[in-house]
Amino acid sequence: MTGFRSIFFGQEEKIYWFFFLTLLAVFAGCANPVAPTGGVKDETPPAVVRSDPQNGSAHFSAREIKIWFNEYIVLKNLQEQFLCSPPFDQVPEIKVRGKTLVVSIEESLKPNTTYTLFFGDAITDLNEGNILRGFKYIFSTGPVLDSMELSGEVLNAFMLSPEKEINVMLYDVYTDSVPYLQTPYYISRTNKNGEFSFTHLRNMPYKIFALRDLNSNLLFDLPKEEIAFSDTLIYPIAPAPKIPADSLVNSDSLKMENSGKTETHKTSLSGGKKNEKSQTASTQSTEEIPSAHAKISLRLFSEVDSTQRIEKSAYIYPNKIEIIFRYPVRNIDITTYPPTEASWRIDEWNQGRDTLWLWLQNVSGESLQILVNNHKPKTDTLEFNLEAPKTGRGLRAELTEKSVLQVKSKLPFSSPAHLHTPVILTFSEPIGSYRKEQIHLVQDSIIIRPSLDFIDPAKRTLLINHPWKEATSYKILIPDSVFFGVYGNTHDTLQFRFKTREMNEYGSIKIKLRHTFQKEEIVVHLLDEKDQILSQKHGIPDGEAAVFSYLLPGKYKVRIIRDGNQNRKWDTGIYLKALQPESVYLFSATIEVRANWDVEETFSIPE
């Protein structure tokens, strides 16, 4: 009996200790601090609790600024986001210590100057990454804060699209050379909408200059840096008066609406004793810049280096030289060295006249040296090795293919052909001769003589044209050996089949223009949704229309260039000549074209 009781109580004791240890583990788990789950996600950015010296202080002389926030913070992309205006010679040292931002100023400050430290979107909270957008710390080394303002936008000069992350700079020196030689007096940076703003400016005129600063030195010193400038000095304005908050209470005439599209975060600045010599500077998000006055619009462009040069040259075996120039070529002289009296080449230019192909004839030897004179002080000397490349299996097949005259068409493979365009044939070498009477166009078993025209002096592109009928099947038949290239190569039998579209598949756009310019200054572009130029019209007088016909259903845009030099293309600007890029105007809406539908619009161009 005694043994049984000892065994029984032993089991009871084990059960007791099992429950005791389980409860202990539960309580230990409750005591372990972990992040709570569930609930509403924190979307509130950090808020400023106080700062020392106070934000907006006058008579500022401190070497260190401390800004306390209501939660732990981190800095992200500070190098890209942070700006000092006026710029420091030495960028301040900026550190985070828990909930405190510490700024150490490394240099002497200018007297009687208002400084703005702009943090952009660099300040976020530690846990959720909520961004304190557009935070500014402002102080003055003089008795008051400067209070004038300036705002505007930077657009791409040709596309009229907003340009982000562009430095916009103000100078208190007005010479043309200042963007090359001096850092700005004030600086801002465009946001994603291309907008910029300056606050707390001194009341004086400024020279304004925008720069895509590729080397981050605040100077226009690289040829590929894009710029924008104003023809005149810019005057800032006084800020719009603010309506006191208590005047909005119980007012029937003023109503506030929340559309859900715009949110404004206001940072409260508090802490410390009131200083009668200090002012409080408001902070605002650069994503929504107030329009207290008409904005300045700057057009960003790249200057063109007018120095012509050969970018690339190459010999393409067995009989072609390619020369690529930096810019389109107007006049050029090319001779062999030593000179030869024989005709030794056929010239072929691309459409932009910046690439030249020389089809060689009557040239022998292992090398060729030519002199290229583009009417500039220096003549370029080019030398080419004319030897055949080392052969291999793949290369032998390629050279064998080149010995046959290749003919390609631009007819669509799977869709009907357009009613208004000719059939285009492209040959692999210039055509020396051909038998025109052997080219047949067949329409419903009827043989027709089409119109045939080479559109280039080298005779490599042939247009086959005819008054095409809608929804009609055609066939182009070319027997073998009709075309002979200048190197004696010819082709096999060629056959091209296609069917034309129906007329009711097309629509049209008619744009009536209202302007005060000379008609020769007007160039009209029809664009697709990707801003590719589909068609161009020019010389449209005021009150008349640019008509674009045979358009397939889709969405189109219309752009107008004021062509000041009447060369029928857009030209960029030149800063030192005070020459702005040619003005560009975009029709306000995308135009939708439907099948068998004609769209008429009026485009009024501002002066």
Side-chain angles (χ1 to χ4, degrees), residues 376-389:
K376 60 181 183 179
K378 180 182 177 182
T379 297
D380 293 296
T381 302
L382 305 178
E383 187 168 356
F384 303 95
N385 180 9
L386 304 184
E387 291 182 314

Side-chain angles (χ1 to χ4, degrees), residues 301-492:
F301 64 94
S302 294
E303 288 191 326
V304 173
D305 181 359
S306 59
T307 305
Q308 178 67 285
R309 61 173 60 99
I310 294 175
E311 297 284 0
K312 180 183 177 182
S313 62
Y315 174 63
I316 303 172
Y317 186 83
N319 43 40
K320 184 167 67 172
I321 288 175
E322 180 182 67
I323 305 175
I324 300 175
F325 297 88
R326 187 172 188 180
Y327 302 115
V329 176
R330 295 183 180 180
N331 301 306
I332 192 170
D333 294 325
I334 300 178
T335 57
T336 60
Y337 184 82
T340 177
E341 297 294 333
S343 175
W344 62 277
R345 74 180 197 269
I346 296 174
D347 293 355
E348 180 186 359
W349 290 94
N350 70 340
Q351 187 175 0
R353 283 191 66 86
D354 59 6
T355 301
L356 172 64
W357 295 282
L358 304 178
W359 297 89
L360 303 181
Q361 293 180 297
N362 305 315
V363 174
S364 60
E366 296 180 351
S367 65
L368 175 67
Q369 192 175 74
I370 64 174
L371 305 178
V372 181
N373 183 2
N374 191 32
H375 297 276
K376 60 181 183 179
K378 180 182 177 182
T379 297
D380 293 296
T381 302
L382 305 178
E383 187 168 356
F384 303 95
N385 180 9
L386 304 184
E387 291 182 314
K390 295 181 180 180
T391 59
R393 182 177 299 177
L395 184 57
R396 280 199 299 270
E398 182 182 346
L399 295 178
T400 301
E401 183 178 312
K402 287 185 177 181
S403 65
V404 178
L405 183 65
Q406 302 294 315
V407 185
K408 297 181 180 180
S409 78
K410 293 187 178 181
L411 287 168
F413 289 104
S414 58
S415 59
H418 283 292
L419 275 171
H420 65 297
T421 56
V423 176
I424 301 176
L425 299 184
T426 304
F427 300 90
S428 57
E429 66 184 64
I431 297 302
S433 64
Y434 68 102
R435 293 178 289 167
K436 186 176 183 179
E437 69 280 357
Q438 294 294 313
I439 302 172
H440 302 302
L441 175 65
V442 180
Q443 172 190 327
D444 297 331
S445 302
I446 300 173
I447 297 178
I448 302 170
R449 298 294 183 192
S451 170
L452 304 174
D453 294 291
F454 281 100
I455 61 173
D456 59 328
K459 291 187 177 180
R460 279 218 315 132
T461 305
L462 178 69
L463 301 187
I464 302 177
N465 215 343
H466 181 70
W468 313 113
K469 294 183 179 181
E470 62 176 315
T472 302
S473 296
Y474 291 91
K475 181 168 57 176
I476 297 174
L477 296 175
I478 304 175
D480 67 283
S481 305
V482 169
F483 292 93
F484 285 87
V486 293
Y487 304 113
N489 298 319
T490 189
H491 56 86
D492 295 328

